[in-house]
């Protein structure tokens, strides 16, 4: 009854099922692993001490920024150079902008330093001046932002002196010197009152270390892949059952008349002609047994 499984058509169906189910299981397992990694990272971050409470280290000793060094206090010495405003940033549920200054170090590279946050629009904003001369800053280390970071503006078209993303790849096109692939945010207002009007910007948790929306998206994708694998298996069993029932009905002679007519039609016009012709009748009208009117001669 199940010999139809060896036909070419079913070979293709079986091959698809054999390949699709392991692939779906693999993808579902991979997505589940991503979710478990995020949960583990979140638990480790909660158990670990606050990075900002640890002793400050020189900037170069903490690079590159990863989940361990993100948020750690980093120190750097240099002079403030170019200044940019980063619009569209929220703090305490209020809309505002960051004040970002480039700190040129002795190495020649510049470290982006977020000196603080101000409410309102960045256009025509009055910003406290940066300290003059050589300064040593200690700020919480952060990785360069990307297009998925909160508050990032990727649309472009910002006025001169504004940037939508705190990233070395963006800033290096705006200044004539190299930029560190990191930035720091000052945890306190600057000494001397120059930053008194600005609020410190708290350091953000490392990307992928919390149970955010992306983590639960991984969990949702896990369910989708396993459901798809079950659906493929269900459809295969359903098709096999239908084919087996059809084979059984043919074997028992229970095929409906419509099916028999369709089968006869598939046999071709010759089958219909042979079926309707009288038994023993000649097949060629030009036979001597026919008259001019093609009527059989008795």
């Amino acid at each position: 009854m199940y010999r139809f499984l060896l036909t070419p058509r079913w070979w293709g169906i079986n091959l698809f099922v054999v390949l699709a189910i392991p692939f779906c299981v693999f993808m579902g397992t991979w997505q589940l692993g991503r979710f478990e990694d995020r949960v583990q990272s979140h638990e480790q971050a909660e158990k670990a001490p606050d990075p900002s409470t640890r002793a400050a280290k020189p900037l170069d000793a903490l690079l590159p920024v990863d989940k361990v060094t993100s948020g750690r206090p980093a120190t750097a010495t240099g002079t403030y150079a170019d200044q940019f405003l980063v619009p569209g940033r929220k703090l305490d549920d209020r809309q505002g902008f960051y004040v970002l200054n480039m700190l040129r170090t002795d190495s020649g590279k510049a470290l982006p330093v977020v000196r603080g946050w101000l409410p309102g629009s960045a256009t025509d904003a009055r910003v406290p001046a940066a300290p003059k001369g050589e300064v040593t800053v200690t700020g919480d280390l952060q990785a360069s932002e990307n297009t998925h970071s909160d508050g990032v503006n990727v649309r472009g078209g910002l006025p001169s002196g504004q940037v939508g993303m705190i990233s070395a790849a963006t800033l290096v096109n705006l200044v004539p010197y190299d930029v560190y692939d990191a930035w720091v945010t000052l945890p306190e207002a600057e000494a001397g009152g120059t930053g008194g009007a600005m609020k410190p910007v708290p350091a953000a948790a490392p990307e992928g270390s919390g149970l955010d929306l992306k983590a639960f998206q991984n969990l949702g994708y896990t369910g989708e892949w396993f459901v798809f694998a079950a659906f493929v298996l269900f459809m295969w069993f359903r098709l096999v059952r239908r084919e087996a029932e059809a084979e059984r009905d043919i074997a028992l002679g229970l095929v409906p008349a419509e099916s028999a007519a369709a089968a006869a039609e598939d046999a071709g016009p010759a089958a219909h002609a042979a079926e309707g012709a009288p038994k023993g009748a000649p097949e060629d009208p030009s036979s001597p047994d026919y008259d001019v009117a093609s009527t059989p001669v008795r």
Side-chain angles (χ1 to χ4, degrees):
M1 182 179 297
Y2 293 96
R3 292 181 180 178
F4 60 85
L5 292 174
L6 301 178
T7 60
R9 181 172 69 92
W10 274 94
W11 267 109
I13 296 175
N14 295 336
L15 180 62
F16 171 78
V17 173
V18 168
L19 296 178
I21 292 179
F23 176 76
C24 294
V25 173
F26 168 78
M27 292 300 298
T29 305
W30 180 74
Q31 290 288 352
L32 181 60
R34 292 290 303 274
F35 173 75
E36 292 176 346
D37 290 341
R38 290 180 180 273
V39 172
Q40 185 177 4
S41 298
H42 176 68
E43 293 176 349
Q44 291 176 351
E46 287 187 336
K47 294 178 181 179
D50 187 355
S52 62
T53 61
R54 305 180 68 176
K57 286 189 175 183
L59 173 65
D60 292 330
L62 299 176
L63 297 178
V65 185
D66 54 23
K67 292 182 180 179
V68 177
T69 61
S70 179
R72 290 279 302 272
T75 60
T77 301
T79 56
Y80 281 121
D82 296 89
Q83 176 173 281
F84 300 95
L85 303 183
V86 189
R89 300 304 174 104
K90 286 186 177 181
L91 185 64
D92 299 331
D93 294 329
R94 297 178 62 190
Q95 194 72 27
F97 59 93
Y98 293 166
V99 179
L100 174 70
N101 282 81
M102 307 299 292
L103 182 72
R104 296 203 63 178
T105 64
D106 294 336
S107 65
K109 298 179 70 173
L111 173 66
V113 178
V114 173
R115 295 169 49 222
W117 174 90
L118 287 172
S121 173
T123 304
D124 300 327
R126 300 182 61 184
V127 179
K132 300 292 184 179
E134 187 176 76
V135 295
T136 298
V137 300
T138 300
D140 297 333
L141 188 63
Q142 300 280 265
S144 291
E145 294 180 334
N146 54 55
T147 56
H148 302 291
S149 301
D150 293 337
V152 166
N153 181 357
V154 296
R155 296 188 302 271
L158 294 175
S160 178
Q162 297 185 22
V163 293
M165 181 189 307
I166 308 176
S167 169
T170 300
L171 294 170
V172 75
N173 297 318
L174 303 176
V175 295
Y177 39 80
D178 292 334
V179 180
Y180 280 103
D181 189 17
W183 58 283
V184 297
T185 174
L186 301 183
E188 297 178 356
E190 296 169 343
T194 56
M198 296 187 292
K199 289 186 177 182
V201 177
E207 186 176 357
S209 63
L211 292 180
D212 52 6
L213 179 60
K214 293 181 180 179
F216 291 101
Q217 283 180 343
N218 291 134
L219 187 61
Y221 294 149
T222 299
E224 288 181 1
W225 281 113
F226 285 132
V227 168
F228 187 69
F231 176 75
V232 171
L233 190 60
F234 166 76
M235 290 301 299
W236 183 82
F237 275 113
R238 184 176 180 182
L239 290 174
V240 169
R241 182 178 177 182
R242 288 178 56 185
E243 192 83 7
E245 290 177 350
E247 293 285 343
R248 182 194 60 190
D249 292 344
I250 292 175
L252 297 177
L254 301 178
V255 180
E258 294 81 6
S259 299
E265 184 177 354
D266 293 339
H272 288 284
E275 182 180 356
K279 293 183 179 180
E283 296 181 357
D284 188 2
S286 61
S287 171
D289 293 335
Y290 280 77
D291 61 7
V292 178
S294 297
T295 303
V297 178
R298 302 298 182 186

